[in-house]
Amino acid sequence: MSSTRTGARRPYAARVPVAVRREQLLDAALTVIVRDGYDAVSIDAIAREAGVTRPVVYGVFDDLRDLLGTLLDRQQARALAQLADALPPVPDLSDPDRLVADTARRMIETVRADPMTWQPILLAPSSMPAQARARIEADRENFRIQLTGLLELGLALRGGPALDAEIVAHAILAVLEHFGRILLTDPDRFETDRLVATIAGLLQALK
Amino acid sequence: MSSTRTGARRPYAARVPVAVRREQLLDAALTVIVRDGYDAVSIDAIAREAGVTRPVVYGVFDDLRDLLGTLLDRQQARALAQLADALPPVPDLSDPDRLVADTARRMIETVRADPMTWQPILLAPSSMPAQARARIEADRENFRIQLTGLLELGLALRGGPALDAEIVAHAILAVLEHFGRILLTDPDRFETDRLVATIAGLLQALK
DNA sequence: CACAATTGCTACACACGTGTAGTAATTGGC
DNA sequence: GCCAATTACTACACGTGTGTAGCAATTGTG
């Protein structure tokens, strides 16, 4: 375990009210996840990262499941808020292609701006607790359903070809997530403009 | 550890030559991975799955890293062989759209036919050993490069719009993998014909 | 400035995985 | 049928994570 050398007493960590410690521990957990991956997450690792001992963590959370669930609540809220900001509140339907391109640009910039929030979502590994995976998956599904609706509308409005909106929504989301992952793992690989330009080109080709 | 009740001697597992045991252990490891995930893989779990004790495993492999590396060799070879079978050996360039649709159908059927092989590749989690991840990623990259070349050729040949072939190749691969994952986790969700029809529709829309 | 509430630490018992030394069962060849 | 080579098992020492009981330091309040 973490340094059980008997004799020298460990210097006390700053005394901090529970509510603050809670946030610190969630931050520590996120840091560990982003830096070392989900596999490295343990009560012990989080305590170490936060500079306290394990009993301090147990004083705030029941166990790792409880802690990660709470973290997910927080990160889910942040991600959804950012996503809502990136999506157009009052879509200007007069130029659908431009609308799509602008929205894509805002989403790219959103991920670039806060990778800590997006990494655990876009790079969510199977080792994540099943409960957490299910909740992320539910959000994803929800987003996909909205996207499907938009597509049906858009395809009709734009006079494009008759396509299976559900499948296309799956495909679009898969592409979004793929490039989201690239933005996280290798941010300099593709410039934002290049990605947006390709989207615009594809839309134009679909006349 | 696994049942250390002293007294009753464990019945001997069938005596088997090393070469056979090696394959059995690889099969056991794959079973554990597919059923319980990478996190559940351990020398102990594999030994249990194979119905032997840990020292038997250590008699065949140095450690877990060695075992998983060997498994990856085997599965990589199987997957690449299946993929090669699915791709057209002598592409008929007279009807590119049909060629793409037929190839897609064969790939879908390939994944459906042998999910055990494809799950560890398509659902490869971050908890996988870095070395193994790197090798799978190298194959993916290789495939993507070939795809990029085909696209440049195809886009020119087909008289489609000028597009960023590299980005489009990324996107296509992301979509392929996404539907591959769906085929594994929820095989009945989309019928093969429906997927192929959507591809055909998209191609047609891109005239 | 003392003291009680709060916060943090040490140390333990337990669980599970690793890797190995020593021993026992099996089995094919004589 | 015996025996030596092969294969498998038991039992141990060790490492790392969990969860908790009991004690120690800190701090703000009277």
Side-chain angles (χ1 to χ4, degrees), chain A residues 46-169:
Chain A
I46 293 168
R48 250 177 289 146
E49 179 67 33
V52 296
T53 55
R54 281 178 297 118
V56 172
V57 182
Y58 284 108
V60 180
F61 298 100
D62 290 344
D63 51 18
L64 190 60
R65 181 186 178 77
D66 179 29
L67 191 157
L68 291 180
T70 306
L71 177 62
L72 182 59
D73 285 335
R74 199 184 77 170
Q75 297 308 107
Q76 195 175 27
R78 289 186 183 175
L80 289 176
Q82 289 183 19
L83 193 58
D85 279 353
L87 294 179
V90 183
D92 170 14
L93 294 176
S94 68
D95 188 349
D97 286 16
R98 181 173 185 79
L99 179 68
V100 169
D102 286 352
T103 303
R105 178 181 298 278
R106 274 198 302 276
M107 291 180 75
I108 292 169
E109 282 161 357
T110 298
V111 173
R112 280 199 201 279
D114 187 5
M116 287 274 276
T117 291
W118 291 97
Q119 176 169 335
I121 292 168
L122 291 176
L123 296 175
S126 59
S127 53
M128 218 165 113
Q131 182 205 14
R133 287 258 303 295
R135 284 172 48 193
I136 291 183
E137 187 50 44
D139 282 342
R140 209 182 299 259
E141 180 103 21
N142 190 43
F143 183 75
R144 184 160 52 228
I145 288 170
Q146 291 188 259
L147 182 58
T148 305
L150 281 176
L151 265 175
E152 282 165 348
L153 200 78
L155 286 175
L157 203 145
R158 220 170 140 283
L163 282 172
D164 191 320
E166 187 184 2
I167 301 223
V168 175

Side-chain angles (χ1 to χ4, degrees), chain B residues 6-196:
Chain B
T6 313
R9 225 183 147 74
R10 172 189 183 123
Y12 259 51
R15 288 168 77 85
V16 149
V18 175
V20 176
R21 188 62 90 199
R22 172 180 297 266
E23 290 306 305
Q24 285 181 354
L25 291 174
L26 294 180
D27 289 341
L30 184 56
T31 300
V32 171
I33 289 171
V34 168
R35 189 188 56 219
D36 306 326
Y38 274 92
D39 290 351
V41 181
S42 67
I43 294 282
D44 201 49
I46 293 168
R48 249 178 289 145
E49 179 66 31
V52 297
T53 54
R54 281 178 296 119
V56 172
V57 182
Y58 284 108
V60 180
F61 298 101
D62 290 346
D63 51 20
L64 190 61
R65 181 187 178 75
D66 179 28
L67 191 158
L68 291 180
T70 306
L71 176 62
L72 182 59
D73 285 335
R74 197 183 78 170
Q75 297 308 107
Q76 195 175 29
R78 289 188 184 174
L80 289 176
Q82 289 182 20
L83 192 58
D85 278 354
L87 295 179
V90 184
D92 170 15
L93 294 175
S94 68
D95 187 350
D97 287 16
R98 180 172 186 81
L99 178 68
V100 169
D102 287 350
T103 303
R105 177 180 298 277
R106 275 198 301 277
M107 290 179 76
I108 292 168
E109 282 161 356
T110 298
V111 173
R112 280 201 202 276
D114 187 4
M116 287 274 275
T117 291
W118 291 97
Q119 175 169 335
I121 292 169
L122 292 176
L123 295 174
S126 59
S127 53
M128 220 165 108
Q131 183 204 14
R133 287 256 305 293
R135 282 171 53 191
I136 291 182
E137 187 50 45
D139 282 342
R140 208 182 300 255
E141 180 102 21
N142 190 40
F143 183 75
R144 184 160 52 227
I145 288 171
Q146 290 188 258
L147 183 58
T148 305
L150 280 176
L151 264 176
E152 283 166 347
L153 199 77
L155 286 176
L157 202 146
R158 220 169 139 284
L163 282 172
D164 191 321
E166 187 183 2
I167 299 222
V168 175
H170 268 272
I172 289 175
L173 194 50
V175 173
L176 284 179
E177 295 199 30
H178 175 74
F179 284 105
R181 282 189 289 271
I182 291 183
L183 287 178
L184 292 174
T185 57
D186 190 3
D188 300 327
R189 174 120 184 211
F190 298 122
E191 312 229 335
T192 302
D193 286 342
R194 187 174 168 198
L195 295 173
V196 174

